[in-house]
Amino acid sequence: MRIAILSGKGGTGKTTVATNLLSVSDNGVLIDTDVEEPNSHLFLKPQIHHSEAIKKRYPIVDETLCNLCGACGDFCRFNAILPAKKQVLVFKELCHDCGGCQMVCPQGAIQYKERSIGMVHTGKTDTNQVMHYGELIVGEISGVPIIERLHQITKDEDLVFIDSPPGTACSTVAAIESADYAIIVAEPTPFGVSDMKMVVELLRNLHIPMGVVVNKDGLGDDEIYRYCETESVHILGRIPFKKEYARHYAGGTLISKVDEEYRKNLTGILAQVIGRKEGV
Amino acid sequence: MLAVCAKEPGLDSKVDERFGRAEYYVIFDEAKNMPQSIENKAKFEAGGAGGTAVRLLNENGVDVLLAPELGPKAMDAIKAFEMTVYRYTEQKTVRETIEDYKAGKLSKIDTSTTPSKHGLRKV
Ligand code: SF4
Ligand code: SF4
């Protein structure tokens, strides 16, 4: 089973929930697909034993062959190749490596070169749980190839927790589209609710069953509960707002390792998610 | 020929405060004193709209651009298409902005005015 943990915006406690779910599971593996700002490794503190560079290709134009016909620029949907007056400009960060410009070039002037766009690191926690996290090089636009790699290397695992990028961008879709279930982590504040609505819609479009974990319960108002009721979105659990939790979080400690009540709470949430799947 | 980023077609439109994502470009032929407005089809694109807009303007014979801002990719494209850019900072009409340009009130820019939008996280 692949369980995505996501949120409408950053800072709702998504990573806290994802890493603690991993910690209370026996056989889970975690992938951190929030490649622009991975941070689950800061809590899981894995010993990294393998790192691989993720590569992408981009076109280079042989100026001696190119006659500036413009075909490559007309073809590219991503504005990545721009035939200009005397040369062809390539914006390699915009290139999606589709291979199209090479196919349409009548002069055979286009070749591809590889470059690294980021890394995937694999490691084990002190309790021998496996985690993989991706890291996108700053300035790169799309972390999707890294996210796809994270999915690929865990495709045979029984239980995978997907710490997903916040929001509803392409990278979020790439992270969650293969999930069997999605846990939305939201805060009970008016902003939290409006951000969450977009995520609910996205999950509905992708036909992914979902439930909500309300983090920092007791801090805001009850709009989130009304919303979930009207929209029949299942509430999996509530994590109360507690100073100790915030302190553990700030210290980079997994709360479930030091707080029995929290551990029980998360174990209950996980049991519901796994049970639901089996019940379907 | 001269191009100005505009919110609507025509000389009496207000200027747009964006370049790559401007709604329209009003192209003005100084010799014929004739305006022509083209819609910016690249404005919905995820990234690199500026470069493609420069190419579109070049195809329409533009060599001078009046713009409010310019990202680094658009600036690279401007140079590769050998165009010149003057920057306006006021929300006037296209007509007034062209007058300002003719009166030498706009300053020429040759470096981008905005940092790359990519790699910055929207929170
Ligand atoms: S399609 Fe080939 S020949 Fe035409 S401009 Fe592009 S690189 Fe040059
Ligand atoms: S490979 Fe595809 S995305 Fe990249 S420049 Fe060529 S046409 Fe554009």
Side-chain angles (χ1 to χ4, degrees), chain A residues 34 36-37 70 73-74 77 79 82-86 89 91 93-94 139 141 166, chain B residues 45 47-49 51-52 55 58-59 73 76-77 80-82 118-121 123:
Chain A
D34 189 0
E36 284 178 47
E37 234 171 77
D74 294 339
R77 290 190 294 126
N79 305 312
L82 201 67
K85 281 223 161 118
K86 292 184 186 128
L89 296 185
F91 299 113
E93 323 83 84
L94 294 176
I141 299 172
Chain B
E45 290 183 23
T52 297
R55 184 167 181 234
N58 174 73
E59 277 165 14
K73 292 196 186 69
D76 287 347
F81 280 105
E82 297 166 5
H118 302 298
L120 296 179
R121 187 171 182 108
V123 184

Coordinates of all heavy atoms in Angstrom, one line a residue, chain A residues 34 36-37 70 73-74 77 79 82-86 89 91 93-94 139 141 166, chain B residues 45 47-49 51-52 55 58-59 73 76-77 80-82 118-121 123:
Chain A
D34 N 9.2 15.8 -1.4 CA 9.2 17.2 -1.4 C 10.6 17.7 -1.7 O 11.3 18.2 -0.9 CB 8.8 17.7 0.0 CG 8.5 19.1 0.1 OD1 8.6 19.8 -0.9 OD2 8.1 19.6 1.2
E36 N 12.1 20.0 -3.3 CA 12.6 21.4 -3.2 C 13.0 21.7 -1.8 O 13.8 22.6 -1.6 CB 11.5 22.4 -3.7 CG 11.4 22.4 -5.2 CD 10.3 23.4 -5.6 OE1 10.2 24.5 -5.1 OE2 9.4 23.0 -6.4
E37 N 12.4 21.0 -0.9 CA 12.7 21.3 0.5 C 12.5 20.0 1.4 O 11.7 20.0 2.3 CB 11.7 22.4 1.0 CG 12.4 23.6 1.7 CD 11.3 24.6 1.9 OE1 10.6 24.5 2.9 OE2 11.2 25.6 1.2
G70 N 14.1 27.7 -37.6 CA 13.0 28.0 -36.6 C 12.2 26.8 -36.2 O 11.3 26.9 -35.3
G73 N 12.1 25.8 -32.4 CA 11.4 26.7 -31.6 C 9.8 26.6 -31.8 O 9.1 26.8 -30.8
D74 N 9.4 26.4 -33.0 CA 8.0 26.2 -33.2 C 7.5 25.0 -32.6 O 6.3 24.9 -32.1 CB 7.7 26.1 -34.8 CG 8.0 27.3 -35.5 OD1 8.1 28.4 -34.9 OD2 8.3 27.2 -36.7
R77 N 7.1 23.1 -26.8 CA 5.9 23.6 -26.0 C 6.4 24.3 -24.7 O 5.6 24.9 -24.0 CB 4.9 22.5 -25.7 CG 4.2 22.0 -26.8 CD 3.1 21.1 -26.3 NE 3.6 19.9 -25.7 CZ 3.3 19.5 -24.4 NH1 2.4 20.2 -23.7 NH2 3.8 18.4 -23.9
N79 N 9.1 26.5 -24.3 CA 9.9 27.7 -24.5 C 11.4 27.4 -24.2 O 12.1 28.3 -23.7 CB 9.4 28.8 -23.6 CG 7.9 29.1 -23.8 OD1 7.5 29.2 -24.9 ND2 7.2 29.2 -22.7
L82 N 15.1 28.4 -28.5 CA 14.7 29.7 -29.1 C 15.6 30.1 -30.2 O 16.7 30.6 -30.0 CB 14.6 30.8 -28.0 CG 13.8 32.0 -28.2 CD1 12.3 31.6 -28.2 CD2 14.1 33.0 -27.1
P83 N 15.2 29.8 -31.5 CA 16.1 30.2 -32.6 C 16.0 31.7 -32.7 O 15.0 32.3 -32.8 CB 15.4 29.5 -33.8 CG 14.3 28.6 -33.3 CD 14.0 29.1 -31.9
A84 N 17.2 32.3 -32.6 CA 17.3 33.8 -32.6 C 17.9 34.2 -33.9 O 17.9 33.5 -34.9 CB 18.0 34.3 -31.4
K85 N 18.5 35.4 -33.9 CA 19.1 36.0 -35.2 C 20.3 35.2 -35.7 O 20.5 34.9 -36.8 CB 19.5 37.4 -35.0 CG 18.3 38.3 -35.1 CD 18.5 39.6 -35.9 CE 17.2 40.2 -36.3 NZ 17.1 41.6 -35.8
K86 N 21.3 35.0 -34.7 CA 22.5 34.4 -35.2 C 22.8 33.0 -34.5 O 23.7 32.3 -34.9 CB 23.7 35.3 -34.9 CG 23.6 36.5 -35.7 CD 24.9 37.4 -35.5 CE 24.7 38.7 -36.3 NZ 24.9 39.9 -35.5
L89 N 19.1 29.8 -28.9 CA 19.3 29.8 -27.4 C 18.6 28.6 -26.8 O 17.5 28.2 -27.2 CB 18.6 31.0 -26.8 CG 19.1 32.4 -27.1 CD1 18.4 33.4 -26.3 CD2 20.6 32.5 -26.9
F91 N 17.3 27.1 -23.1 CA 17.2 27.4 -21.7 C 17.0 26.0 -21.1 O 15.9 25.4 -21.0 CB 15.9 28.2 -21.4 CG 16.0 29.6 -22.1 CD1 15.2 29.9 -23.1 CD2 16.9 30.5 -21.6 CE1 15.2 31.2 -23.7 CE2 17.0 31.8 -22.2 CZ 16.2 32.1 -23.2
E93 N 17.0 24.6 -18.2 CA 16.1 24.3 -17.1 C 14.7 24.2 -17.5 O 13.8 23.6 -16.8 CB 16.1 25.4 -16.0 CG 17.4 26.1 -15.7 CD 17.7 27.2 -16.7 OE1 17.2 28.3 -16.5 OE2 18.3 27.0 -17.7
L94 N 14.3 24.8 -18.7 CA 12.9 24.7 -19.1 C 12.7 23.4 -19.9 O 11.6 23.0 -20.2 CB 12.6 25.9 -20.0 CG 12.6 27.2 -19.3 CD1 12.3 28.3 -20.3 CD2 11.5 27.3 -18.2
G139 N 17.2 26.2 -8.5 CA 17.2 26.9 -9.8 C 16.6 26.0 -10.8 O 16.1 26.4 -11.9
I141 N 13.6 23.7 -12.3 CA 12.2 23.9 -12.2 C 11.4 22.7 -11.8 O 10.6 22.7 -11.0 CB 11.6 24.4 -13.6 CG1 12.3 25.7 -13.9 CG2 10.1 24.6 -13.5 CD1 11.9 26.1 -15.3
P166 N 3.9 20.2 -0.8 CA 2.6 20.8 -0.4 C 2.0 21.4 -1.7 O 2.6 21.7 -2.7 CB 3.0 21.9 0.6 CG 4.4 22.2 0.3 CD 5.0 20.9 -0.2
Chain B
E45 N 1.7 30.3 -20.4 CA 2.7 29.2 -20.3 C 3.4 29.2 -18.9 O 3.6 30.2 -18.3 CB 3.6 29.2 -21.5 CG 2.9 28.8 -22.7 CD 3.7 28.8 -24.0 OE1 4.9 28.6 -23.9 OE2 3.1 28.9 -25.0
G47 N 6.5 28.5 -18.0 CA 7.8 29.2 -17.8 C 8.3 29.6 -19.1 O 8.0 29.0 -20.2
G48 N 9.2 30.6 -19.1 CA 9.9 31.0 -20.4 C 9.0 31.7 -21.3 O 9.3 31.9 -22.5
A49 N 7.9 32.3 -20.8 CA 7.0 33.0 -21.7 C 7.7 34.2 -22.3 O 7.5 34.6 -23.5 CB 5.8 33.5 -20.9
G51 N 10.9 34.7 -23.3 CA 11.7 34.3 -24.5 C 10.8 34.2 -25.7 O 11.1 34.7 -26.8
T52 N 9.7 33.4 -25.6 CA 8.8 33.2 -26.7 C 8.2 34.5 -27.2 O 8.0 34.7 -28.3 CB 7.8 32.1 -26.3 OG1 8.5 30.9 -26.0 CG2 6.8 31.9 -27.4
R55 N 10.5 36.3 -29.4 CA 10.6 35.7 -30.7 C 9.3 36.2 -31.5 O 9.5 36.5 -32.7 CB 10.6 34.2 -30.6 CG 10.7 33.5 -31.9 CD 11.0 32.0 -31.8 NE 11.2 31.4 -33.1 CZ 10.5 30.3 -33.5 NH1 9.7 29.7 -32.6 NH2 10.7 29.9 -34.7
N58 N 9.9 39.7 -32.6 CA 10.8 39.8 -33.7 C 10.2 39.4 -35.1 O 10.4 40.0 -36.1 CB 12.0 38.8 -33.4 CG 13.0 38.7 -34.5 OD1 13.7 39.6 -34.8 ND2 13.0 37.6 -35.2
E59 N 9.3 38.4 -35.0 CA 8.7 37.9 -36.2 C 7.8 39.0 -36.8 O 7.5 39.1 -38.0 CB 7.8 36.7 -36.0 CG 8.6 35.4 -36.0 CD 7.8 34.2 -35.4 OE1 6.6 34.3 -35.2 OE2 8.5 33.2 -35.2
K73 N 15.8 35.4 -18.7 CA 15.7 34.6 -19.9 C 15.2 35.6 -21.0 O 15.7 35.5 -22.2 CB 14.7 33.5 -19.8 CG 15.2 32.4 -18.9 CD 14.5 31.1 -19.1 CE 14.9 30.1 -18.0 NZ 14.4 30.5 -16.7
D76 N 18.2 37.6 -22.2 CA 19.0 36.8 -23.1 C 18.4 36.8 -24.5 O 19.1 36.9 -25.5 CB 19.1 35.4 -22.6 CG 20.0 35.2 -21.3 OD1 20.7 36.2 -21.0 OD2 20.0 34.2 -20.7
A77 N 17.1 36.6 -24.5 CA 16.4 36.5 -25.8 C 16.5 37.9 -26.5 O 16.8 38.0 -27.7 CB 15.0 36.1 -25.6
A80 N 19.8 38.2 -28.1 CA 20.0 37.3 -29.2 C 19.2 37.7 -30.4 O 19.6 37.4 -31.5 CB 19.6 35.8 -28.8
F81 N 18.1 38.5 -30.2 CA 17.4 39.0 -31.3 C 17.8 40.4 -31.6 O 17.1 41.1 -32.4 CB 15.9 38.9 -31.0 CG 15.3 37.6 -31.2 CD1 15.0 36.7 -30.1 CD2 15.1 37.1 -32.5 CE1 14.5 35.5 -30.3 CE2 14.6 35.8 -32.7 CZ 14.3 35.0 -31.6
E82 N 18.8 40.9 -31.0 CA 19.4 42.2 -31.2 C 18.3 43.3 -31.1 O 18.2 44.2 -31.9 CB 20.1 42.3 -32.6 CG 21.3 41.3 -32.6 CD 21.8 41.0 -34.0 OE1 21.3 41.6 -34.9 OE2 22.7 40.2 -34.1
H118 N 12.4 30.9 -11.0 CA 12.5 29.5 -10.7 C 13.4 29.2 -9.5 O 14.4 29.9 -9.3 CB 12.9 28.8 -11.9 CG 12.0 29.1 -13.0 ND1 10.6 28.7 -13.0 CD2 12.1 29.8 -14.2 CE1 10.0 29.1 -14.1 NE2 10.9 29.8 -14.8
G119 N 13.1 28.2 -8.8 CA 13.9 27.8 -7.7 C 13.5 28.6 -6.5 O 13.9 28.3 -5.4
L120 N 12.6 29.6 -6.6 CA 12.0 30.2 -5.5 C 10.7 29.5 -5.1 O 9.9 29.3 -6.0 CB 11.7 31.7 -5.8 CG 12.9 32.6 -6.1 CD1 12.4 34.0 -6.4 CD2 13.9 32.6 -4.9
R121 N 10.6 29.2 -3.9 CA 9.4 28.4 -3.6 C 8.2 29.3 -3.2 O 8.3 30.2 -2.5 CB 9.8 27.6 -2.3 CG 8.7 26.6 -2.0 CD 9.2 25.7 -0.9 NE 8.2 24.7 -0.7 CZ 8.3 23.4 -1.0 NH1 9.4 23.0 -1.7 NH2 7.4 22.6 -0.7
V123 N 5.1 29.7 -1.1 CA 4.6 29.0 0.1 C 3.2 29.5 0.3 O 2.9 30.6 0.1 CB 5.5 29.4 1.3 CG1 4.9 28.6 2.5 CG2 6.9 29.0 1.1

